Amino acid sequence: MAEITKSYEPRDVEKKWYAAWQAAHAFAGKVVPGKASYSIVIPPPNVTGVLTMGHVLNNALQDILIRRARLEGKSALWIPGTDHAGIATQTVVERELRKQKKTRHDFGREKFVEKVWEWRHEKGGIILEQLRRLGASCDWDRTHFTMDPAYSRAVLQVFVELFNRGFIYRGKRMVNWCPVSLTALSDEEVIMKPTNGTLYKVRYELVDRPGEYIQVSTTRPETIPGDVAIAVHPEDPRYADLVGKKVWRPINRAQIPIIADAAVDKEFGSGALKITPAHDKVDYEVGLRHKLPIVDVLRADGVLNELAGAELAGLERFAGRKKAAELLKESGNLVGEESYANNVGYSERADVPIEPRLTEQWWLRYPRIEEAKAAVRDGHIKFFPERWSKVYLHWLENIQDWCISRQLWWGHRIPVWYRKGLDRSKLTEADLRDTTKVQVSLEGPSDPENWEQEEDVLDTWASSWLWPFATMGWPNQNEMKKAGFDYFYPTTTLVTGPDIIFFWVARMIMAGLEFIRPGESLDQRIPFKNVYFTGIIRDAQGRKMSKSLGNSPDPLTLIDKYGADGLRFGIISIAPQGQDIRFQEERIEGGKNFCNKLWNASRFRQMSGEAGDNSSVAAILARLEPSKFDADDHAILERLIATTASVEKAFAEFEFSAAVQTLYGFFWNDFCDWYVEVSKAKLQSADTKTTCLALQDLIIRQTLLLLHPFIPFITEELWHLLGFGPENAFIEEARIETAAELSEALKSRGISIDTAAASAVEKLKTTASQARALKAEFNLASRRDVRFFATASDADWAVLDANASKLTRMVGANELLRKAKVDGAPAVVTPLGTLYLDLASTVDVAAEKQRLAKELEKLQQHIAGTEARLANTAFVSKAPPAVLEGARKQLAELQAKKAEIERLLGGL
RNA sequence: GGACGGUUAGCUCAGUUGGUUAGAGCACGUGCUUCACACGCACGGGGUCACUGGUUCGAGUCCAGUACCGUCCACCA
C-alpha cells in the first residue's frame, strides 16, 4: 500500500479519481428492481453560464444527497443538463456579432440560429466541465439540453396539447416590453426597483373656458402626446361639473375629454389622472371601459415616433422626457416639478425600464392550479424550510395568465401556422380553431407553401417547466422505458433557490400534474417529493454577489487554492438551512485544513502499525479484543455511534451544515485531540496495540463513509490507501452502517458500550486540562519532566492510576504520585482529586494565594446562585425532580470543591 | 401597504420540546519544530443573548410590542 504523504495535495488526487469515476461510468443511474431509487434533476444552468458560488452551493448539496443515497444502498440518479436560456444566449451571441459591426438581421433568422448553435457547441459545455471539477456525480451519459431534438418535441407537444385543451390563447394585451431585447417578458421577469425621478405637474386648459385649467401629475411627460383623456373620480365634487367637457392636450395639441372612472385615487396629487392607454396598464383598462382610442407614441426600441409630434419624434424615450418637460415649460403648462421616488419595473436581463406595450402575444392559462396548491399544502411535496410554502401558495392564489411568446429567434418556435395572406391582427378565438386559417400541430401543414409559421418562440421557462420528465424520455414510451421513468419519477428531491419558486418550481408542479400519469393520485404525478431551498450567497458585507460589483470569487480559483473538497466542506459548513450566507474565504480555508487533518490522522494510523484486514466492519471487529477495552475505547465508540445517528438525523431534516459541524467536532476533537493522543500510550504496549489499531480503523472507516458525500475525493483516496475496499471498487460501492447496525455489529462481537465510560473520560479530559493550565501558570508548559502529586479518594485514585501513563504523556509530566498530604505546592481541584505541582524551588505563596482566592470567589458566586434557587420554595415544589436533583448534586460538588480550596489556602 | 426572515463574543454563525456556569470556527494573547498534522498542539482573554413589557419556580428559547437590517409580493399617476 502506498505511503501517505505529509500533507494533502488535492490537485492530482481529484483529477485521478474523477477520471476513474467517469471511465467506470460509476454515476450511471440504473433501474435495480427491489432497490429503492433516489433521483434528482439538476436545475439546468444557463448554457451561457460559468460556475458561480451559488452553483457551488447548490450542486454540492445535490451531490451530497446523491452520494449519501448511494452509500445507503439506493440506486441513485442525478440528471445533468443545461438550459438554452433564450434572451441571455441570444444576447451573448449578438454581442459577439456587434464586435464585427453586424446584427442578427444581417444574417437572417436561419443563419443567426446556426451561429447560436455554433456558439453553444463551442462554449456551452463549460459549466458542466466546471461541475466535474467540483466533483458532481451526475450521470453524464444522460446530459440533456432544452433544445435537444427530443426535448424540443416534448416542448412543442405540450404547446399543442395545451392549445387543444383550451389553456392557450392568442391575444392583444398590455405586456411588459423590453426595448433593448425587443421582446415581451412575463411579469416574473420584471424587477421592481425604487427609482428617483421627477413628478411633473402639468395643466390642461379647458376648451370652453379659456384660462381655466385642470392639473395632473406625471412622471412621464413624453407620453402626453398619447393622452386621450383626463380622468377624475366619479365622486369627486371638485370636478363634478367638468366631466364630459374637453381640455387641450398641451403637447401635440388636440382636444381630449374629461371622463370619470373609479380607478382614480382622489387623494393622489390633484385627483386628476391623464389617460394614456398605449403606455400604461391601468390607463389601458380605463380606455377599454370608455372606448377611448389608443395612441402609441413609442417605437419598439423605445424611440418616440411621429405620433409624438414633430418636436419629440426620433428622440429616445429619456431624451424625449426632458424635451417634453422643456416644451411644457415654454408653453407655460408646467406648473411645477418635484423629485420623486417610485417603483419602476426593470427588465431582468437588460436592466432597463420596461415599457407597458400593447402587442399580440400567446398566453397560457395555468392548468391544475388547485391541485398544485393542494400538493404542497397537504404535504405531498415538502418544502425545506417550510415557510416558503406560504410564498408559493400566495403566488398561486393571485396567479395571472402567463405570456409565453417571445420575439426572439433563439428558442422553440411556436408550432402555429397561419394561412398566407391572413390578417393576423383580426384573428378571433374561433379563427384560431379553424384549421383552414390556423394550424396548431407538431408536424405543421401538409402544404407548407401556403402557410407562414409564427415567428415568435416560447419563453425559456415554458421548456424548463417540463425538465423533471422531459429528461426522462417523456412523452416517448420507449425512451421513458429506457430512462427508467417508472422507477425514477417522481424525483426525490429538488435543490434550488427560492428566487425561482414562481419561474420554475411552481410551474414544474403544474406541468407534472397536468401531463404525467393522468388519472393517478397526486403522489404519482408530482415531479418531486422534497424541495430544498438554499440560501443566497452574499459577500462579507452582506451584498448579493454580482458581476458588476466584482465581489464574486471564482470557484475555480478557490478549487485550485483549497481543493474541491475544501471548497465543498467550507461552503456547506456556513450554509445553515434557509439562511443567506455571508461568504468568508477563511471558512473555505478551514475546509482545507480539515481535509489535511483527516489526511494526517490517516497517515498516523498508517505509521502506527501494520495494516490489518480492513475489508469490512466484521473483519475489523474480528481483530479487536473487547476485554482490552478501557474507558477511552468505550467513550470513542459511544461518540462514533452518536455521531452516526446525528448525521442520519441531519440528513432526514436537510440540516447539512449541522452534519458537517458534528463530523468536524467528532473527528477533530473527540478522535484526534483525545483518542489518538491517548492511543499513543496504548500503542507502546503490545497488550493493547492490536485492539487500539483495529478500533482506529473502525472509526476512520465509518468517518470516511460519513464524510464521503461532503468531501468525495479525499475520502475515496484514503479509502484505498488504508485498504477499506478492493483496489478496483469505489467507496460508493460500500454501504454505510447505520447507528443501529453499528451497535448491533458491536453487540454481536460481545461489545456492549459502557455508558459510564463517557463521563469518566470527561473527567480525565478536565483533569488533564487543569494540570496543563497549572503548568502554564508556572511557566512550565514546555517542560516535560514535571512531577505531579495527587490527594484523592480511593475511587478517584483508581481512575488516575489506571490512566496514569496516558495522563502523564498528555500533560507533559514524568510522574504522578499519590500522597496523603501535600504542603506548600501549587494545586488544582480536579474532578478526580487535587493535583499538586511539585516545584523544586519554593512557591510564591502570595501569588498562589491570590490565584486560589480568585477561583474561590468564582466558586462562591456559583454556589450562592444555586443555593438561592434551592431556597426558593416555589422552585423546590414545582420544578421536575430531575432538575431538582441535578441542582442538589451540583451544589454538593461545588461545596466539596470549595472546602478543598479553603483547605489549600489554609495550608499556605 | 402586505408577508417572511434576521438581530447571541472583534467577525461569521450554532443554540433541539424553557432547566446546571450560553457554544463553535476565525481573529486575538501567551507558550511550544512533543517521534500524524505549524493546514498543527496547549493554555488563555472576550458575551446585559437588539430594546420594552408579560407568562413562568426558571426565558437566549414562549407571548405582546418597539427599533434597525434584509428579502419577496402589491398598477397609486
Side-chain angles (χ1 to χ4, degrees), chain A residues 165-180:
Chain A
R165 295 176 197 183
F167 289 106
I168 286 179
Y169 59 92
R170 185 174 181 270
K172 193 166 193 177
R173 290 230 217 147
M174 290 301 274
V175 296
N176 310 297
W177 183 263
C178 175
V180 169

PDB file of all heavy atoms in Angstrom, chain A residues 165-180:
ATOM      1  N   ARG A 165     -56.433  21.632 -25.347  1.00  0.00           N
ATOM      2  CA  ARG A 165     -57.216  21.543 -24.109  1.00  0.00           C
ATOM      3  C   ARG A 165     -57.775  22.900 -23.687  1.00  0.00           C
ATOM      4  O   ARG A 165     -58.409  23.012 -22.638  1.00  0.00           O
ATOM      5  CB  ARG A 165     -56.353  20.978 -22.981  1.00  0.00           C
ATOM      6  CG  ARG A 165     -55.914  19.531 -23.221  1.00  0.00           C
ATOM      7  CD  ARG A 165     -54.981  19.014 -22.145  1.00  0.00           C
ATOM      8  NE  ARG A 165     -54.287  17.811 -22.627  1.00  0.00           N
ATOM      9  CZ  ARG A 165     -53.446  17.090 -21.897  1.00  0.00           C
ATOM     10  NH1 ARG A 165     -53.191  17.441 -20.653  1.00  0.00           N
ATOM     11  NH2 ARG A 165     -52.863  16.022 -22.417  1.00  0.00           N
ATOM     12  N   GLY A 166     -57.496  23.921 -24.476  1.00  0.00           N
ATOM     13  CA  GLY A 166     -58.107  25.220 -24.219  1.00  0.00           C
ATOM     14  C   GLY A 166     -57.363  26.098 -23.226  1.00  0.00           C
ATOM     15  O   GLY A 166     -57.903  27.088 -22.744  1.00  0.00           O
ATOM     16  N   PHE A 167     -56.129  25.771 -22.924  1.00  0.00           N
ATOM     17  CA  PHE A 167     -55.383  26.583 -21.962  1.00  0.00           C
ATOM     18  C   PHE A 167     -54.578  27.697 -22.627  1.00  0.00           C
ATOM     19  O   PHE A 167     -54.141  28.629 -21.975  1.00  0.00           O
ATOM     20  CB  PHE A 167     -54.423  25.702 -21.149  1.00  0.00           C
ATOM     21  CG  PHE A 167     -55.117  24.810 -20.167  1.00  0.00           C
ATOM     22  CD1 PHE A 167     -55.231  23.443 -20.406  1.00  0.00           C
ATOM     23  CD2 PHE A 167     -55.670  25.336 -19.015  1.00  0.00           C
ATOM     24  CE1 PHE A 167     -55.868  22.620 -19.500  1.00  0.00           C
ATOM     25  CE2 PHE A 167     -56.315  24.515 -18.102  1.00  0.00           C
ATOM     26  CZ  PHE A 167     -56.425  23.151 -18.345  1.00  0.00           C
ATOM     27  N   ILE A 168     -54.365  27.560 -23.937  1.00  0.00           N
ATOM     28  CA  ILE A 168     -53.535  28.550 -24.626  1.00  0.00           C
ATOM     29  C   ILE A 168     -54.390  29.383 -25.573  1.00  0.00           C
ATOM     30  O   ILE A 168     -55.242  28.854 -26.275  1.00  0.00           O
ATOM     31  CB  ILE A 168     -52.392  27.848 -25.401  1.00  0.00           C
ATOM     32  CG1 ILE A 168     -51.335  27.351 -24.411  1.00  0.00           C
ATOM     33  CG2 ILE A 168     -51.768  28.789 -26.424  1.00  0.00           C
ATOM     34  CD1 ILE A 168     -50.173  26.614 -25.036  1.00  0.00           C
ATOM     35  N   TYR A 169     -54.171  30.674 -25.548  1.00  0.00           N
ATOM     36  CA  TYR A 169     -54.883  31.551 -26.465  1.00  0.00           C
ATOM     37  C   TYR A 169     -53.957  32.655 -26.941  1.00  0.00           C
ATOM     38  O   TYR A 169     -52.861  32.838 -26.415  1.00  0.00           O
ATOM     39  CB  TYR A 169     -56.117  32.147 -25.778  1.00  0.00           C
ATOM     40  CG  TYR A 169     -55.820  32.948 -24.529  1.00  0.00           C
ATOM     41  CD1 TYR A 169     -55.618  34.336 -24.599  1.00  0.00           C
ATOM     42  CD2 TYR A 169     -55.740  32.334 -23.281  1.00  0.00           C
ATOM     43  CE1 TYR A 169     -55.347  35.070 -23.464  1.00  0.00           C
ATOM     44  CE2 TYR A 169     -55.457  33.066 -22.136  1.00  0.00           C
ATOM     45  CZ  TYR A 169     -55.267  34.435 -22.237  1.00  0.00           C
ATOM     46  OH  TYR A 169     -54.977  35.156 -21.105  1.00  0.00           O
ATOM     47  N   ARG A 170     -54.405  33.352 -27.973  1.00  0.00           N
ATOM     48  CA  ARG A 170     -53.613  34.433 -28.533  1.00  0.00           C
ATOM     49  C   ARG A 170     -54.383  35.711 -28.307  1.00  0.00           C
ATOM     50  O   ARG A 170     -55.615  35.721 -28.402  1.00  0.00           O
ATOM     51  CB  ARG A 170     -53.439  34.195 -30.033  1.00  0.00           C
ATOM     52  CG  ARG A 170     -52.541  35.171 -30.744  1.00  0.00           C
ATOM     53  CD  ARG A 170     -52.368  34.690 -32.196  1.00  0.00           C
ATOM     54  NE  ARG A 170     -51.497  35.565 -32.950  1.00  0.00           N
ATOM     55  CZ  ARG A 170     -51.909  36.612 -33.637  1.00  0.00           C
ATOM     56  NH1 ARG A 170     -53.202  36.908 -33.664  1.00  0.00           N
ATOM     57  NH2 ARG A 170     -51.042  37.353 -34.312  1.00  0.00           N
ATOM     58  N   GLY A 171     -53.708  36.774 -27.949  1.00  0.00           N
ATOM     59  CA  GLY A 171     -54.478  37.979 -27.719  1.00  0.00           C
ATOM     60  C   GLY A 171     -53.636  39.235 -27.677  1.00  0.00           C
ATOM     61  O   GLY A 171     -52.436  39.200 -27.426  1.00  0.00           O
ATOM     62  N   LYS A 172     -54.314  40.347 -27.975  1.00  0.00           N
ATOM     63  CA  LYS A 172     -53.652  41.638 -27.919  1.00  0.00           C
ATOM     64  C   LYS A 172     -53.860  42.184 -26.516  1.00  0.00           C
ATOM     65  O   LYS A 172     -54.989  42.383 -26.079  1.00  0.00           O
ATOM     66  CB  LYS A 172     -54.279  42.579 -28.938  1.00  0.00           C
ATOM     67  CG  LYS A 172     -53.470  43.828 -29.171  1.00  0.00           C
ATOM     68  CD  LYS A 172     -53.935  44.551 -30.424  1.00  0.00           C
ATOM     69  CE  LYS A 172     -52.921  45.613 -30.820  1.00  0.00           C
ATOM     70  NZ  LYS A 172     -53.269  46.292 -32.060  1.00  0.00           N
ATOM     71  N   ARG A 173     -52.775  42.367 -25.817  1.00  0.00           N
ATOM     72  CA  ARG A 173     -52.882  42.781 -24.421  1.00  0.00           C
ATOM     73  C   ARG A 173     -51.675  43.646 -24.054  1.00  0.00           C
ATOM     74  O   ARG A 173     -50.688  43.675 -24.768  1.00  0.00           O
ATOM     75  CB  ARG A 173     -52.806  41.541 -23.522  1.00  0.00           C
ATOM     76  CG  ARG A 173     -54.003  40.642 -23.603  1.00  0.00           C
ATOM     77  CD  ARG A 173     -54.444  40.373 -22.207  1.00  0.00           C
ATOM     78  NE  ARG A 173     -54.928  39.039 -22.009  1.00  0.00           N
ATOM     79  CZ  ARG A 173     -54.777  38.378 -20.851  1.00  0.00           C
ATOM     80  NH1 ARG A 173     -54.059  38.894 -19.883  1.00  0.00           N
ATOM     81  NH2 ARG A 173     -55.312  37.204 -20.704  1.00  0.00           N
ATOM     82  N   MET A 174     -51.775  44.276 -22.911  1.00  0.00           N
ATOM     83  CA  MET A 174     -50.622  45.005 -22.402  1.00  0.00           C
ATOM     84  C   MET A 174     -49.594  44.007 -21.893  1.00  0.00           C
ATOM     85  O   MET A 174     -49.930  43.130 -21.087  1.00  0.00           O
ATOM     86  CB  MET A 174     -51.026  45.911 -21.243  1.00  0.00           C
ATOM     87  CG  MET A 174     -51.880  47.090 -21.640  1.00  0.00           C
ATOM     88  SD  MET A 174     -51.086  48.161 -22.828  1.00  0.00           S
ATOM     89  CE  MET A 174     -50.159  49.237 -21.764  1.00  0.00           C
ATOM     90  N   VAL A 175     -48.366  44.134 -22.369  1.00  0.00           N
ATOM     91  CA  VAL A 175     -47.307  43.258 -21.878  1.00  0.00           C
ATOM     92  C   VAL A 175     -46.150  44.111 -21.369  1.00  0.00           C
ATOM     93  O   VAL A 175     -46.094  45.325 -21.605  1.00  0.00           O
ATOM     94  CB  VAL A 175     -46.780  42.312 -22.975  1.00  0.00           C
ATOM     95  CG1 VAL A 175     -47.855  41.360 -23.428  1.00  0.00           C
ATOM     96  CG2 VAL A 175     -46.202  43.108 -24.128  1.00  0.00           C
ATOM     97  N   ASN A 176     -45.245  43.457 -20.707  1.00  0.00           N
ATOM     98  CA  ASN A 176     -44.007  44.118 -20.292  1.00  0.00           C
ATOM     99  C   ASN A 176     -43.040  44.011 -21.461  1.00  0.00           C
ATOM    100  O   ASN A 176     -42.626  42.919 -21.823  1.00  0.00           O
ATOM    101  CB  ASN A 176     -43.409  43.392 -19.083  1.00  0.00           C
ATOM    102  CG  ASN A 176     -44.428  43.184 -17.997  1.00  0.00           C
ATOM    103  OD1 ASN A 176     -44.954  44.142 -17.428  1.00  0.00           O
ATOM    104  ND2 ASN A 176     -44.743  41.930 -17.704  1.00  0.00           N
ATOM    105  N   TRP A 177     -42.721  45.133 -22.033  1.00  0.00           N
ATOM    106  CA  TRP A 177     -41.883  45.120 -23.232  1.00  0.00           C
ATOM    107  C   TRP A 177     -40.478  45.599 -22.881  1.00  0.00           C
ATOM    108  O   TRP A 177     -40.307  46.632 -22.220  1.00  0.00           O
ATOM    109  CB  TRP A 177     -42.486  46.028 -24.299  1.00  0.00           C
ATOM    110  CG  TRP A 177     -41.718  46.018 -25.578  1.00  0.00           C
ATOM    111  CD1 TRP A 177     -40.781  46.910 -25.972  1.00  0.00           C
ATOM    112  CD2 TRP A 177     -41.828  45.039 -26.612  1.00  0.00           C
ATOM    113  NE1 TRP A 177     -40.282  46.561 -27.191  1.00  0.00           N
ATOM    114  CE2 TRP A 177     -40.904  45.405 -27.615  1.00  0.00           C
ATOM    115  CE3 TRP A 177     -42.593  43.876 -26.800  1.00  0.00           C
ATOM    116  CZ2 TRP A 177     -40.738  44.659 -28.790  1.00  0.00           C
ATOM    117  CZ3 TRP A 177     -42.437  43.142 -27.970  1.00  0.00           C
ATOM    118  CH2 TRP A 177     -41.521  43.532 -28.947  1.00  0.00           C
ATOM    119  N   CYS A 178     -39.489  44.832 -23.347  1.00  0.00           N
ATOM    120  CA  CYS A 178     -38.112  45.254 -23.122  1.00  0.00           C
ATOM    121  C   CYS A 178     -37.604  45.929 -24.378  1.00  0.00           C
ATOM    122  O   CYS A 178     -37.442  45.286 -25.409  1.00  0.00           O
ATOM    123  CB  CYS A 178     -37.221  44.069 -22.774  1.00  0.00           C
ATOM    124  SG  CYS A 178     -35.490  44.563 -22.644  1.00  0.00           S
ATOM    125  N   PRO A 179     -37.357  47.236 -24.332  1.00  0.00           N
ATOM    126  CA  PRO A 179     -36.954  47.983 -25.523  1.00  0.00           C
ATOM    127  C   PRO A 179     -35.524  47.658 -25.968  1.00  0.00           C
ATOM    128  O   PRO A 179     -35.122  48.060 -27.052  1.00  0.00           O
ATOM    129  CB  PRO A 179     -37.045  49.450 -25.106  1.00  0.00           C
ATOM    130  CG  PRO A 179     -37.592  49.458 -23.731  1.00  0.00           C
ATOM    131  CD  PRO A 179     -37.438  48.112 -23.153  1.00  0.00           C
ATOM    132  N   VAL A 180     -34.789  46.943 -25.161  1.00  0.00           N
ATOM    133  CA  VAL A 180     -33.446  46.556 -25.571  1.00  0.00           C
ATOM    134  C   VAL A 180     -33.464  45.165 -26.197  1.00  0.00           C
ATOM    135  O   VAL A 180     -32.954  44.946 -27.293  1.00  0.00           O
ATOM    136  CB  VAL A 180     -32.463  46.597 -24.373  1.00  0.00           C
ATOM    137  CG1 VAL A 180     -31.142  45.947 -24.736  1.00  0.00           C
ATOM    138  CG2 VAL A 180     -32.242  48.045 -23.949  1.00  0.00           C
TER     139      VAL A 180
END
